[in-house]
Amino acid sequence: MPHLRPLLSQLTRAIGRHSAEVELKWMKGTLDNPPSGIRQSCRSLEEMVARRAAGEPLQYILGSQPFGPLELAVRPPVLIPRPETEDWTMRLAETLTPSPSRPAKILDLCTGTGCIPLLLCHLWPAGSIHATAIDISPDAIQLAKENAVLCGITAYGDASTQPLTTPQAKNTFMPILADLLHPEFITQARLEPPYDLITSNPPYIPQAEYDALPASVKDYEDIQALLGDSPSPHASGAPAEDRTKGLTFYHRIAALVGGHGLLRAGGTLALEVGAGQAPAVAAIVQAKAGVDKIDVWKDPWGKERVVVARR
């Protein structure tokens, strides 16, 4: 279309011709038919193109990101759900079989948009899952609540309040603001173990790799959701050498599972990992979590992406 040529040229200079053509169509499609219930931050195609040319991730500009059959709201600084996370969540949904007669309690740590537990709530039968989702970011918790409503999942405000909607043999979702690395985390988060399934896509990028990330990531997505090297004195469970390898949160999660009874006998622990981290994370889980069997799942691109442990 002739009137789009200046915008296409502007976008091409920033991201290349092919990507510009594809993304311009997505932008126009979102403006013409905005996803139901998702807050739009752009009022014109010109604004969208200007923001994208400046380096902002497309998902934040569109305001949404597909995740399995769901369309989730996204906005900065909350981490954008990635395809590799979607892949293993779908696989997990096919591997486990909760039912209304045997409902599962799920704990998702570092939940971000709520993508993992919300997709499981959507895929599993009504009344078969009760999910608790934890994050340190108020922005993430607010967005996770909005996504629950958007996806039609019964959501609770927190452990001490009434549900945001009335449960009627439905899957439920409770997002809670808490610091996973805090010494009194379990009390702070008002957890009620044991859980049948614990999932997490924790921060796992080492500082050296984080420093080399493109500006489109570092300038927009929350560093707390990415950097796995925590300077926090609360992270003392990780040896000094592992606190520079993006492994801090795996030590904490494994210690909580092994020392505080978070995971039920017969339960499953699923942890997303970064490139090359699977052997180290498997060893941490083996040493600290008190599990019997550990598997490593590869993502569709052949990378070891998830450490799955069973008690």
Side-chain angles (χ1 to χ4, degrees), residues 255-274:
L256 286 169
V257 170
H260 295 271
L262 284 192
L263 189 64
R264 186 186 305 278
T268 299
L269 172 67
L271 304 173
E272 181 168 328
V273 300

Side-chain angles (χ1 to χ4, degrees), residues 76 129 284:
I129 169 177
I284 292 167

Side-chain angles (χ1 to χ4, degrees), residues 91-273:
R91 181 173 175 180
L92 195 63
E94 296 171 355
T95 303
L96 305 178
T97 55
S99 66
S101 60
R102 298 185 64 183
K105 287 176 60 178
I106 296 178
L107 176 63
D108 183 52
L109 302 171
C110 311
T111 199
T113 60
C115 58
I116 295 170
L118 289 176
L119 182 54
L120 294 176
C121 282
H122 176 82
L123 293 174
W124 281 334
S128 67
I129 169 177
H130 304 292
T132 299
I134 307 294
D135 206 284
I136 193 174
S137 164
D139 292 309
I141 291 300
Q142 178 58 39
L143 188 57
K145 290 178 181 178
E146 293 176 22
N147 276 322
V149 175
L150 185 67
C151 298
I153 306 299
T154 300
Y156 290 77
D158 60 50
S160 63
T161 66
Q162 295 299 313
L164 300 178
T165 56
T166 303
Q168 296 177 347
K170 295 180 179 180
N171 293 333
T172 61
F173 175 78
M174 183 188 298
I176 295 175
L177 182 69
D179 180 0
L180 177 60
L181 298 182
H182 194 280
E184 302 300 324
F185 166 69
I186 293 178
T187 302
Q188 182 190 76
R190 300 177 298 281
L191 298 186
E192 297 180 355
Y195 294 90
D196 302 282
L197 170 64
I198 299 175
T199 58
S200 185
N201 176 18
Y204 55 65
I205 300 177
Q207 182 70 60
E209 291 183 20
Y210 179 83
D211 292 341
L213 288 174
S216 61
V217 176
K218 288 194 294 183
D219 290 353
Y220 294 93
E221 295 186 272
D222 192 349
I223 186 173
Q224 291 185 110
L226 295 165
L227 186 62
D229 294 343
S230 173
S232 169
H234 299 153
S236 58
E241 64 271 20
D242 279 359
R243 290 176 59 187
T244 61
K245 299 177 182 178
L247 301 174
T248 296
F249 288 85
Y250 301 110
H251 280 279
R252 178 60 169 156
I253 293 169
L256 286 169
V257 170
H260 295 271
L262 284 192
L263 189 64
R264 186 186 305 278
T268 299
L269 172 67
L271 304 173
E272 181 168 328
V273 300

Side-chain angles (χ1 to χ4, degrees), residues 17 57 66 114 167 175 281:
R17 180 77 182 192
V281 173

